[in-house]
Amino acid sequence: MDYQKILEEIRQEVAPLLDKGLVADYIPELAKVDKTKFGIYLLFLDDSSYSVGDATEKFSIQSISKVFMLAHCVSHIGKKVYQRVNVEPSGDPFNSLVQLEHENGVPRNPFINSGALVVTDLLITHLQDPRQQFLDFIRELVGHNDIYYDKQIARSEKSFGYRNAAMVNMMKSYGNIENDVEEVLDLYFDFCSISMTCAELARAFRVFANHGKLVRNDKKFLSERQFKRITAIMQTCGFYDEAGEFAFRVGLPGKSGVGGGIAAILPSEYSIAVWSPGLNQKGNSLAGFKALELFTTMTGTSIF
């Protein structure tokens, strides 16, 4: 199959969508991003790769980092994570407070903001230096050290992070946050501020395509059971309250972020990352969503 030709055709087909989405302007630094940017990087387990567009330009991965946060946490403390956060789709916006109150401070899943804040709290409790250890974890997945927190993005998010502050305080009132709320918020904003390219993101996500193991040296980060659980949560909860639509149209487990990135996998085959900053009304990349729908249709690949 001529994957390079397929990616080029996809790029042409989604071009009219690039100026139609809206950037995440509630985070001032993200409002500055050129929404006509577009890149795809496809990486197979055999190390063959294909790319188009701005696939080597760094962008803020935002909520995609929540997959790495969950994997990092599960690899250290196992299934105890799921005693503090559930695994059900939310059906509500990713920053909803209503559902959190109805369910006594226990988040629906680890990929909405409240769930990721609980995971952050767990990492603070169980790791000696969670900020550095998380960065080291991502760098090891990518295979190089040119991965950093974007302090400007993190400051921008913190300046307008009132809902996140409300969530973590509410969960603290229910006893589901153990550490200082400011410490949890600061670390969470750092986690979401990581910048990566599509190429780096696809390389990091390939550990999930490879059932929790690095390809280059077979180092195992997740057990088969842990891999299965995380992949299932990606499939059902990875796209805010549009996860069903993504499963219907694309058919791959993955995760999106309001920086315009989407990373997805076909287990035992490939990882793919796409970046287009213009978002649809649900907070997912408009052109990126369409690009992945076209990719699985044109290649005949999905988990279904």
Side-chain angles (χ1 to χ4, degrees), residues 17 31 35 55 65 111 118 123-124 129 134 139-140 163 170-171 184 187 192 199 223-224 227 242 245 279:
L17 298 175
K35 69 177 179 180
S65 68
F111 295 160
V118 169
L123 289 171
I124 292 170
D129 186 355
F134 183 70
R139 287 171 171 176
E140 187 168 14
R163 273 185 172 270
M170 181 184 288
M171 291 188 292
V184 173
L187 186 57
C192 291
S223 70
E224 192 67 30
F227 152 78
E242 204 173 19
E245 187 74 10
L279 308 179

Side-chain angles (χ1 to χ4, degrees), residues 78-144:
K79 62 184 180 181
K80 291 179 183 178
V81 175
Y82 304 118
Q83 296 172 4
R84 299 269 302 276
V85 58
N86 290 323
V87 294
E88 292 292 336
S90 66
D92 283 322
F94 58 87
N95 57 0
S96 172
L97 287 159
V98 177
Q99 194 173 63
L100 194 58
E101 184 171 24
H102 278 307
E103 298 179 356
N104 300 315
V106 179
R108 271 289 176 98
N109 66 70
F111 295 160
I112 54 176
N113 290 19
S114 55
L117 285 161
V118 169
V119 171
T120 303
D121 183 60
L122 282 163
L123 289 171
I124 292 170
T125 297
H126 291 278
L127 299 185
Q128 188 172 2
D129 186 355
R131 182 173 277 99
Q132 187 60 48
Q133 286 173 259
F134 183 70
L135 194 60
D136 291 343
F137 171 60
I138 302 261
R139 287 171 171 176
E140 187 168 14
L141 296 184
V142 175
H144 64 71

Side-chain angles (χ1 to χ4, degrees), residues 3 41-51 141-143 199 202-204 206-207 209-210 213-217 268-271:
Y3 290 106
Y41 196 93
L42 170 65
L43 180 63
F44 286 88
L45 295 192
D46 68 2
D47 239 16
S48 57
S49 63
Y50 308 86
S51 65
L141 296 184
V142 175
R203 193 158 293 280
R206 193 168 59 163
V207 74
N210 198 36
K213 294 185 298 183
L214 286 182
V215 170
R216 64 180 180 272
N217 60 13
S268 304
E269 294 288 338
Y270 63 72
S271 57

